[in-house]
Amino acid sequence: MPQLCIRKQALAHNLALVRQCAAAWGATWLPVVKMVASYPPVMRFLRENGICRVGIADIDEHLCFGENPVCEQAYINIAPALRAAEVVTRFERSAVSGLDGLQALEDAAARLGKVHSVLVMLDLGDGREGIPCGREFDRFLEAVRAKRFVHIRFAGLGATLGCLTGLCPDFESMEQIFAAMRKIRGLISVPDPTVSLGGTIFWNWFAEHHGAVREKMRDMPGWNIELRMGDPLFVGFDMYRNEPLLGGAFRQDVFELQAQVLEVQTKYPKKNGTYVSNGHGEQVNAIAFKAREQALVDCGSLHTDTADIMPYLAGARLINYSGNYTILDVTECGAPPRPGDMIGFRPGYWAVARSFRTPQTRKIWLEEDGDTVCFG
């Protein structure tokens, strides 16, 4: 089975850079830990380094390892009405985008004798969660004012861009946020309301324009910008724009997937045969019907997102995956691997996320960079 290595020094390096940037830009940072499914060693690392608040995207995330995170938690997704009591019990803040969800949280908080904080989510055009700006947002505010919410504390606004359609932030979208800030001012029930911006598509834009944003916010004193994201810590790269993150030399090697070679054979795809969709619903042209040296590696789609990994082995090319296997073309490798060899892969976001949610994938916490072999 594959194993996922986590380099503590790389994580510490990125954490220092994120903190430095956020402080310089006049923002706070909410680390989103869904990529690592609240993996206990990572959560302890954050806590030991003074991170007392994290963003959780899955109510049941803790079940992956059977341990509730000790850090104070914010539920960053829309709170499901049928699980409102769990949200109020386990999270100090959640997100809402409608009156029904807000009422469910109010009722749950009343039953539990608690006060629960909420961010009202805006849809700036990406089409994911949130109330569209304009008349829909105005109607929501009117409906909220007509009711009496005793156990809800309005903590600010939130917005997500990039994750669904790749829509990038710009000054037009920020103007929509500023307009919403002015409109919701009468409902805000905390002294330091938050504008929470995610995902990481906001990072590079904010790095370039934070001065102009802060200048605009002078007209609305008391509001804080929160950068709600995990990629600067865990990925160290702007996946949306396929470019480096601004603000420093972020490390992109926090994670390495390692898997064992099971078989190396010369394969001869059958030319004259009937082909239908393969085991995962794709039409394949029998790998262009040519002989190739092929290696089977034990990190298939049951264990990770194999569309999101890249082999470090020079000359190797990922052909496809099937069940437990990832299949590599190693014809061009100067020294083809042998059965029993371990091959390293650079995993992308979703490969890491699935690996943390797969018990069969062993997790290795590396205290020092030199604790692992570098492949390539």
Side-chain angles (χ1 to χ4, degrees):
M1 297 300 105
Q3 58 189 29
L4 187 69
C5 299
I6 310 109
R7 294 187 175 92
K8 185 176 181 179
Q9 286 192 347
L11 205 60
H13 174 86
N14 286 353
L15 175 60
L17 278 181
V18 175
R19 281 177 146 168
Q20 176 182 315
C21 290
W25 302 341
T28 62
W29 172 56
L30 180 69
V32 175
V33 295
K34 67 180 177 183
M35 185 178 181
V36 298
S38 296
Y39 182 52
V42 172
M43 300 301 285
R44 286 193 289 272
F45 165 83
L46 291 174
R47 191 167 65 251
E48 289 165 2
N49 283 275
I51 302 295
C52 299
R53 191 162 173 270
V54 297
I56 305 289
D58 184 351
I59 295 174
D60 299 315
E61 195 169 88
H62 67 287
L63 297 178
C64 291
F65 302 102
E67 183 175 321
N68 274 314
V70 178
C71 292
E72 185 180 11
Q73 300 172 79
Y75 185 59
I76 66 171
N77 284 351
I78 301 299
L82 295 180
R83 303 188 69 179
E86 290 176 76
V87 172
V88 170
T89 299
R90 291 187 42 219
F91 301 97
E92 54 88 19
R93 191 185 83 187
S94 64
V96 297
S97 62
L99 206 60
D100 291 341
L102 194 56
Q103 188 64 56
L105 291 171
E106 165 73 16
D107 294 342
R111 289 194 301 271
L112 293 166
K114 300 184 71 173
V115 175
H116 184 68
S117 295
V118 298
L119 286 184
V120 178
M121 298 300 291
L122 300 173
D123 176 16
L124 303 178
D126 190 54
R128 211 174 82 152
E129 80 270 59
I131 306 167
C133 296
R135 287 177 295 180
E136 291 87 348
F137 183 65
D138 293 342
R139 284 196 290 267
F140 170 79
L141 294 181
E142 291 170 7
V144 170
R145 291 189 179 101
K147 286 183 167 285
R148 186 167 179 263
F149 290 99
V150 176
H151 296 86
I152 293 296
R153 181 170 55 200
F154 289 93
L157 296 167
T160 303
L161 283 177
C163 295
L164 181 64
T165 66
L167 180 65
C168 295
D170 54 24
F171 281 107
E172 182 180 350
S173 60
M174 292 307 299
E175 286 294 340
Q176 291 178 292
I177 293 175
F178 297 144
M181 291 163 65
R182 287 188 286 269
K183 290 177 181 179
I184 202 174
R185 190 189 297 263
L187 288 179
I188 291 296
S189 47
V190 297
D192 51 350
T194 295
V195 175
S196 181
L197 305 177
T200 304
I201 201 166
F202 272 102
W203 181 271
N204 278 3
W205 188 87
F206 198 78
E208 294 180 325
H209 303 293
H210 62 90
V213 172
R214 300 302 303 183
E215 183 65 31
K216 185 72 175 179
M217 290 183 66
R218 291 181 188 275
D219 298 333
M220 289 161 279
W223 284 81
N224 299 308
I225 292 284
E226 174 186 86
L227 300 176
R228 185 186 75 251
M229 52 194 68
D231 290 10
L233 179 64
F234 297 121
V235 179
F237 189 74
D238 186 339
M239 300 185 301
Y240 297 92
R241 300 176 180 85
N242 193 30
E243 63 185 30
L245 290 173
L246 300 177
F250 286 87
R251 287 185 61 168
Q252 301 172 33
D253 62 340
V254 173
F255 303 103
E256 181 177 321
L257 186 70
Q258 299 176 349
Q260 188 174 164
V261 176
L262 304 173
E263 171 192 302
V264 181
Q265 300 276 357
T266 302
K267 299 293 183 177
Y268 306 90
K270 185 177 180 179
K271 297 181 181 181
N272 301 315
T274 300
Y275 286 89
V276 294
S277 298
N278 63 13
H280 39 93
E282 294 180 351
Q283 292 283 339
V284 181
N285 66 349
I287 322 299
F289 301 114
K290 64 180 181 180
R292 67 192 183 278
E293 193 78 1
Q294 176 180 293
L296 262 62
V297 187
D298 67 340
C299 60
S301 56
L302 293 179
H303 307 118
T304 186
D305 186 338
T306 49
D308 200 25
I309 62 175
M310 181 183 71
Y312 284 133
L313 182 64
R317 180 176 64 88
L318 195 150
I319 296 173
N320 216 323
Y321 60 94
S322 179
N324 288 36
Y325 304 132
T326 287
I327 298 97
L328 298 178
D329 185 338
V330 295
T331 308
E332 303 299 323
C333 293
R338 298 171 59 86
D341 288 351
M342 295 294 288
I343 289 182
F345 295 84
R346 176 181 171 181
Y349 185 100
W350 296 110
V352 172
R354 184 179 294 184
S355 295
F356 272 106
R357 288 160 177 79
T358 304
Q360 295 90 339
T361 300
R362 183 185 180 200
K363 288 77 179 173
I364 301 176
W365 181 252
L366 301 172
E367 293 284 340
E368 302 292 338
D369 285 344
D371 286 350
T372 186
V373 176
C374 295
F375 295 89

